[in-house]
Amino acid sequence: MYYQKRISEVMKACETSENGLSHEEIIKRHQQFGYNILDEKKKENPFMIFLKQFQDLLVIILIIAAIISGMSGQIESTIVIVSVIIVNAILGTIQTLKAEKSLDSLKKLSVPKEKVIREGTLQEVDSTELTIGDLVQIEAGDVISGDGRIIECSSLQINESALTGEVESVDKTTDVITGQVVVGDQKNMVFSSSLVTNGTGRYIVTHIGMQTEIGKIASMLNNAKERKTPLQKSLDDFSGKLSIGIFFISLIVLCLNLFLAKQSLIDSLMIAVALAVAAIPEALSSIVTIVLSMSTQKMVKENAIIKNLNSVESLGCVSVICSDKTGTLTQNKMTPQTIYFYNHLMKISELDNRHHDHSVLLKSCLLCNNAVINGEQRIGDPTELALIDLVHEYTKNDIEFKHTAVRTSELPFDSDRKLMSISSLNHIYTKGAPDVIIKRCSTILINGIKEPITKRHLDAIEKENQRCANNGLRVLGFAYKDYRGNQVTLEDEHDLTFIGLVSLMDPPRIESQDAVAKCKIAGIKPIMITGDHVVTARAIATQIGIYEDGDLSIEGYELDKMSEEELDEKLPHISVYARVAPEHKIRIVKAWQKRGDIVAMTGDGVNDAPALKQSDIGVAMGITGTEVSKDAASMILTDDNFSTIVKAVITGRNVYRNIKNSINYLLSGNFLLSGNFAGILCVFIASLLLLPTPFFPVHLLFMNLITDSLPAIAIGMETGKNGVLKEKPRSSSDSILNKQTVLQITFEGIIIAICTMCAYLFGLKQDSLVASTMAFATICLARLLHGFNCRSNLPLTKIGFYTNRSSIYAFLIGFSLLHVILFVPFMHSLFMIQTISITQLFVIYAFALIPTIIIQTKKYWSSVKINK
């Protein structure tokens, strides 16, 4: 614990001196400790990633089916099956390779050059060359590369928001710190990736590479495992059940044709393989990918970039959002809120620099300030930058004000006395903690007159200071006095005249409150996790609605003391976590996941990256977010707007609904221990009745590629509804095929199968080839029409026929291709069909339309009952 050691002890421990390290020592330490770089995770060979895509059970069955199909002479079927398998494997490989960027971005955080003292001289070296014991010199604008103990500092302030999440810069000191404290309170240390906002300093490098705080985060990020989305889990479960069903159905059909129909082994095997191919919705993975891809394009327009396609549907069942405060729920910009002159609290807009008291306060804000604004470049502490903005806004037309605000000497801020003072012409201006300021004041400025300060005055000032603190505001006190000296000293910071108080805060985003309210309507629990102080965090959380009566707010050290059982008990009631470290965030996320919740984690700093990756949905800020957080996240908000998450949740819920409807369509005519039940049932019945097979393999292939794929994709493009926000998040364990869904699609599949068999029997009066043709045309047309049924649980009269033009286009394309096959002679031999008459065509139309009429009627009466 270097922050607990004296400077001499740190120098001894690091074996260095005031002259720095020698050339020989540098070489030796590079050999001993390595270089100041982060370890790169060993990447998996892309070819191995590609091979892993074939481990899925359904893919294995398809491969077996392709082999048997090839042995049976069905080359077309083999080519199609193999093509689908390879395309899906390529897509899976690409997605996996995209997920391996996180640690690459961590390396980009290193600053190319550092100023170090070696062999008694100041040198500039690559940041990767830093080693333990190096003496590094820093100043405003520098980014720290390597953790270290401060040995010299002058007005040194460092912004550590990338690690701690706090927007305010930390005042640094060289003093020893007693006791064990978190990173945010180690004020005599500097940490890699932090930004120097003010002052100068020098530190001894104590940790490099993976041993730094950012290196520890890199390790956690490396160890955090990516979780399967609810849809992936549901599809995996479905695949297992489907595979078992396919095996038994194909085996039964093989036996029926082999032993009852007395067909040859090769013919029976061909029918069984055809059934297996028909039963497996080969297009399922591709359709899901296409629907998700098109949804991500839509979300880009809504300022949300989805990196992992499967994360889109995961948004639909998010039940907990763990949000960082700074820059996510707030504006990431300190802003003055109120100004207090004795017995008068006023809004910022009421400032008038022509008023004597106001002018003195503004002059104090400008002079007691080390921040710099040059055009677009803003260097300095966010609080001081806010004060400069305030002064510029209310004195921009006052030329005389600028001339009188001249600094002559400075007494830098010190964390012990909590003050800074500036001499200017005939006055000293002092800024600091209100409780310290008032103890140094003997008079108070009231309407241009200096009056003796009394207990009544002090009580009123303390009361206002406490009120601001309770509301999470940062309060600064200002004072001044007449001065004729040249160099301001500590003795001069007495007998001051109190001017007033300025309260500041990083205000909530305007839309945050509405977004939080929508989250609660949607059954989602929003939680604030921040490195800020608990009072500030709770105040912000209360303003935007996250923290309510009965809720709990705890700090990181309290979380450390909790057992897993105690945390699980209190978890639903904790709305605010303050002063947390990266490991705390991961523990919170895991605790919710253990309860079965789907967790979204938002953040923008390096400290958020491990938790972003651990969560089910990691949401990074696109504007203020670090590269690490962006690469670790599943979704990036291009507008850094918390409300965009709500829009994403709506999209996610609609996407899941559309995918579920698409899958229902693929399996309808549908799921009965197997796959496309309508087609399978027809073959199964024909086998039992010893009738000629109603479908040839090429028929089933056409159904899979045309009548399945086109409408299924169109269903996935169904327009989203905001009403889904009022529904509770679905459980991650919910199956795509629950009991109600199975009954529904089985009912619909049986109707389509019956109508198909009726058309088949009608054609059988002429010959088996006509019967096969009519069965093929009927089931294709019925399935194309069924695409309209699967758009929603509501009837078309409720959702509108034209609200999804993709469904209309899918039907027209499928209808046209079917009729090309039916009426172009060249296609007859290829698809093994017979020419049909006009009467037979109308019979096909009638039987194909009956299922849709029955299903739409049922949906209509169901909706009427619900409305009643």
Side-chain angles (χ1 to χ4, degrees):
M1 301 294 184
Y2 288 101
Y3 61 86
Q4 297 174 338
K5 297 179 182 293
R6 293 192 297 272
I7 293 174
S8 58
E9 293 175 327
V10 177
M11 280 199 168
K12 185 177 180 181
C14 295
E15 298 180 358
T16 188
S17 68
E18 293 181 358
N19 292 324
L21 302 174
S22 66
H23 180 69
E24 292 75 18
E25 288 173 321
I26 296 294
I27 296 173
K28 188 186 298 183
R29 295 192 185 199
H30 282 159
Q31 294 173 345
Q32 181 180 357
F33 302 113
Y35 287 85
N36 185 30
I37 56 176
L38 297 169
D39 293 343
E40 186 174 358
K41 181 181 178 182
K42 186 177 180 181
K43 295 182 179 180
E44 195 170 15
N45 188 300
F47 181 68
M48 294 304 298
I49 296 173
F50 178 76
L51 291 180
K52 283 186 177 181
Q53 306 304 313
F54 297 92
Q55 293 178 349
D56 186 79
L57 190 56
L58 283 182
V59 173
I60 294 172
I61 292 177
L62 276 175
I63 293 173
I64 295 172
I67 293 171
I68 297 175
S69 182
M71 293 171 60
S72 304
Q74 302 296 319
I75 304 301
E76 297 90 346
S77 298
T78 302
I79 293 173
V80 171
I81 295 170
V82 171
S83 299
V84 170
I85 292 172
I86 292 175
V87 168
N88 285 334
I90 292 172
L91 290 174
T93 302
I94 292 172
Q95 289 182 31
T96 302
L97 292 174
K98 282 182 178 179
E100 295 184 342
K101 295 180 180 178
S102 295
L103 289 180
D104 290 338
S105 291
L106 280 164
K107 295 171 66 178
K108 297 177 185 177
L109 291 176
S110 299
V111 176
K113 299 291 182 181
E114 288 291 337
K115 297 183 287 292
V116 300
I117 297 173
R118 290 179 176 175
E119 298 183 329
T121 61
L122 187 65
Q123 304 175 19
E124 195 172 58
V125 300
D126 290 342
S127 60
T128 56
E129 295 286 331
L130 283 185
T131 189
I132 293 174
D134 259 329
L135 302 185
V136 183
Q137 195 161 302
I138 52 176
E139 59 186 10
D142 289 345
V143 176
I144 307 296
S145 295
D147 295 357
R149 171 70 158 86
I150 299 172
I151 58 174
E152 293 179 19
C153 68
S154 176
S155 304
L156 183 63
Q157 294 179 326
I158 297 181
N159 188 314
E160 298 173 347
S161 60
L163 283 170
T164 65
E166 289 191 66
V167 66
E168 295 178 12
S169 295
V170 179
D171 295 301
K172 292 298 183 177
T173 178
T174 59
D175 298 338
V176 174
I177 297 173
T178 58
Q180 189 168 344
V181 295
V182 297
V183 169
D185 292 328
Q186 294 176 20
K187 296 187 177 181
N188 58 6
M189 298 287 291
V190 295
F191 303 100
S192 184
S193 84
S194 301
L195 173 67
V196 181
T197 58
N198 187 63
T200 60
R202 186 178 294 181
Y203 70 91
I204 302 173
V205 177
T206 57
H207 299 92
I208 60 171
M210 296 301 290
Q211 300 305 312
T212 62
E213 290 297 323
I214 195 175
K216 294 174 185 177
I217 291 175
S219 298
M220 288 189 286
L221 187 59
N222 193 14
N223 295 330
K225 296 180 179 179
E226 294 194 17
R227 297 163 58 86
K228 285 190 175 183
T229 68
L231 180 62
Q232 287 174 312
K233 293 176 184 177
S234 189
L235 288 177
D236 287 347
D237 177 64
F238 162 67
S239 297
K241 294 175 181 177
L242 179 59
S243 301
I244 295 172
I246 290 170
F247 174 77
F248 283 109
I249 289 290
S250 298
L251 184 62
I252 292 171
V253 170
L254 176 64
C255 294
L256 286 173
N257 283 282
L258 194 61
F259 300 112
L260 291 180
K262 303 298 183 182
Q263 293 189 15
S264 65
L265 176 61
I266 191 66
D267 289 338
S268 300
L269 198 60
M270 282 176 61
I271 294 173
V273 169
L275 275 178
V277 174
I280 299 175
E282 297 99 321
L284 176 59
S285 296
S286 299
I287 287 172
V288 169
T289 300
I290 290 170
V291 172
L292 291 175
S293 296
M294 297 185 76
S295 298
T296 59
Q297 294 303 311
K298 176 186 175 184
M299 292 179 73
V300 167
K301 298 177 182 178
E302 297 177 345
N303 301 311
I305 298 174
I306 300 294
K307 292 171 55 187
N308 181 350
L309 291 181
N310 292 313
S311 298
V312 178
E313 66 83 24
S314 293
L315 284 163
C317 51
V318 165
S319 54
V320 177
I321 297 180
C322 298
S323 176
D324 185 33
K325 176 182 72 70
T326 305
T328 308
L329 293 167
T330 64
Q331 298 176 21
N332 196 24
K333 180 182 179 182
M334 292 300 287
T335 306
Q337 300 296 304
T338 60
I339 292 179
Y340 175 81
F341 296 102
Y342 174 65
N343 220 20
H344 178 51
L345 180 66
M346 58 183 287
K347 297 178 182 177
I348 300 298
S349 58
E350 297 177 54
L351 266 176
D352 181 1
N353 73 305
R354 292 171 297 180
H355 189 290
H356 179 268
D357 296 7
H358 298 191
S359 179
V360 174
L361 179 69
L362 288 170
K363 194 166 291 185
S364 300
C365 292
L366 179 62
L367 291 171
C368 296
N369 201 312
N370 289 312
V372 177
I373 299 178
N374 291 321
E376 295 296 321
Q377 189 178 30
R378 297 168 63 87
I379 301 174
D381 179 79
T383 298
E384 294 194 340
L385 287 168
L387 294 177
I388 287 184
D389 289 335
L390 177 68
V391 174
H392 286 176
E393 177 64 26
Y394 290 94
T395 64
K396 54 189 174 185
N397 297 319
D398 191 341
I399 299 175
E400 184 181 350
F401 181 90
K402 309 287 185 183
H403 290 309
T404 58
V406 179
R407 292 170 53 140
T408 56
S409 67
E410 175 185 358
L411 194 60
F413 179 87
D414 183 274
S415 58
D416 287 334
R417 71 182 211 286
K418 298 180 180 178
L419 297 173
M420 80 171 292
S421 295
I422 298 293
S423 62
S424 172
L425 301 180
N426 299 320
H427 294 92
I428 288 176
Y429 295 90
T430 302
K431 175 187 74 176
D435 56 332
V436 176
I437 284 278
I438 58 177
K439 291 177 182 177
R440 306 289 184 101
C441 293
S442 58
T443 57
I444 183 170
L445 186 65
I446 302 177
N447 293 322
I449 300 174
K450 297 177 182 178
E451 298 183 5
I453 197 164
T454 65
K455 187 176 185 304
R456 181 166 54 89
H457 295 137
L458 295 175
D459 289 344
I461 296 169
E462 288 177 355
K463 183 178 179 181
E464 176 58 21
N465 182 36
Q466 189 60 46
R467 184 195 68 80
C468 291
N470 291 339
N471 285 284
L473 301 174
R474 183 183 185 189
V475 188
L476 295 173
F478 293 88
Y480 82 125
K481 77 173 186 178
D482 294 336
Y483 179 70
R484 297 292 184 271
N486 295 319
Q487 179 64 48
V488 62
T489 65
L490 292 175
E491 288 72 25
D492 294 321
E493 292 182 326
H494 293 278
D495 295 322
L496 303 173
T497 298
F498 179 81
I499 305 171
L501 304 176
V502 177
S503 67
L504 305 96
M505 72 178 297
D506 180 12
R509 288 178 174 270
I510 297 173
E511 59 282 346
S512 290
Q513 187 172 359
D514 180 61
V516 168
K518 287 181 178 178
C519 282
K520 293 189 173 183
I521 292 173
I524 300 170
K525 181 174 178 62
I527 295 170
M528 179 186 288
I529 303 179
T530 178
D532 214 337
H533 294 280
V534 68
V535 174
T536 304
R538 187 168 55 232
I540 295 291
T542 301
Q543 284 186 45
I544 61 181
I546 288 180
Y547 187 88
E548 297 178 334
D549 291 341
D551 287 350
L552 299 175
S553 58
I554 67 171
E555 296 193 37
Y557 76 91
E558 297 176 85
L559 185 61
D560 284 331
K561 295 177 182 178
M562 284 187 184
S563 64
E564 293 300 321
E565 294 74 20
E566 187 179 0
L567 177 59
D568 185 64
E569 181 183 345
K570 293 184 177 181
L571 197 65
H573 307 291
I574 304 174
S575 296
V576 175
Y577 296 86
R579 306 299 285 170
V580 295
E583 56 268 24
H584 293 143
K585 297 182 180 184
I586 292 182
R587 187 183 179 193
I588 295 164
V589 170
K590 285 183 176 180
W592 278 106
Q593 290 173 337
K594 187 179 178 181
R595 296 171 68 93
D597 287 273
I598 301 300
V599 183
M601 170 73 190
T602 74
D604 59 357
V606 176
N607 62 320
D608 296 318
L612 289 174
K613 192 171 182 182
Q614 174 64 42
S615 64
D616 299 279
I617 298 290
V619 184
M621 303 298 112
I623 299 174
T624 59
T626 60
E627 288 302 314
V628 183
S629 64
K630 292 175 188 177
D631 285 339
S634 308
M635 182 170 81
I636 300 171
L637 305 182
T638 59
D639 60 354
D640 284 14
N641 196 328
F642 183 81
S643 64
T644 302
I645 301 173
V646 179
K647 297 177 186 176
V649 168
I650 294 174
T651 300
R653 291 188 179 185
N654 280 310
V655 163
Y656 179 79
R657 178 178 289 181
N658 290 346
I659 288 176
K660 183 175 181 180
N661 289 338
S662 295
I663 292 173
N664 290 350
Y665 171 79
L666 287 173
L667 303 177
S668 66
N670 301 33
F671 183 86
L672 186 66
L673 299 177
S674 181
N676 296 308
F677 178 57
I680 294 172
L681 186 60
C682 292
V683 176
F684 190 72
I685 293 172
S687 299
L688 282 175
L689 299 177
L690 302 181
L691 297 173
T693 180
F695 305 118
F696 294 100
V698 69
H699 295 164
L700 297 174
L701 202 59
F702 178 84
M703 281 187 269
N704 268 359
L705 296 179
I706 304 300
T707 63
D708 279 1
S709 301
L710 293 177
I713 294 173
I715 292 167
M717 298 300 103
E718 190 69 27
T719 305
K721 305 292 188 300
N722 288 333
V724 295
L725 198 59
K726 296 180 181 179
E727 301 173 3
K728 290 184 178 181
R730 74 180 192 278
S731 171
S732 59
S733 59
D734 284 354
S735 174
I736 290 178
L737 298 171
N738 53 38
K739 183 178 179 181
Q740 181 183 354
T741 305
V742 170
L743 291 175
Q744 174 189 332
I745 60 180
T746 301
F747 166 74
E748 295 167 356
I750 289 174
I751 294 174
I752 296 175
I754 290 173
C755 290
T756 301
M757 285 305 296
C758 288
Y760 172 78
L761 294 172
F762 184 90
L764 200 59
K765 295 176 182 179
Q766 183 170 336
D767 62 54
S768 60
L769 197 56
V770 171
S772 177
T773 302
M774 291 189 68
F776 165 64
T778 301
I779 195 169
C780 283
L781 191 54
R783 298 271 295 145
L784 289 170
L785 288 168
H786 190 51
F788 295 108
N789 299 325
C790 291
R791 283 177 54 191
S792 171
N793 290 328
L794 297 173
L796 287 172
T797 54
K798 297 283 187 182
I799 63 173
F801 182 75
Y802 296 102
T803 54
N804 185 352
R805 296 185 181 276
S806 297
S807 288
I808 298 174
Y809 298 147
F811 173 80
L812 292 176
I813 293 172
F815 183 86
S816 301
L817 290 175
L818 175 63
H819 283 72
V820 167
I821 293 172
L822 291 176
F823 294 111
V824 175
F826 166 73
M827 306 297 288
H828 291 182
S829 59
L830 184 62
F831 281 87
M832 302 179 71
I833 62 171
Q834 182 63 277
T835 304
I836 57 173
S837 64
I838 296 298
T839 302
Q840 290 167 336
L841 181 64
F842 279 106
V843 170
I844 291 170
Y845 287 167
F847 282 123
L849 189 58
I850 289 173
T852 295
I853 294 173
I854 294 173
I855 293 168
Q856 283 296 314
T857 303
K858 181 176 177 293
K859 286 178 182 288
Y860 175 79
W861 287 112
S862 296
S863 66
V864 170
K865 289 179 182 179
I866 292 173
N867 291 332
K868 287 182 178 180

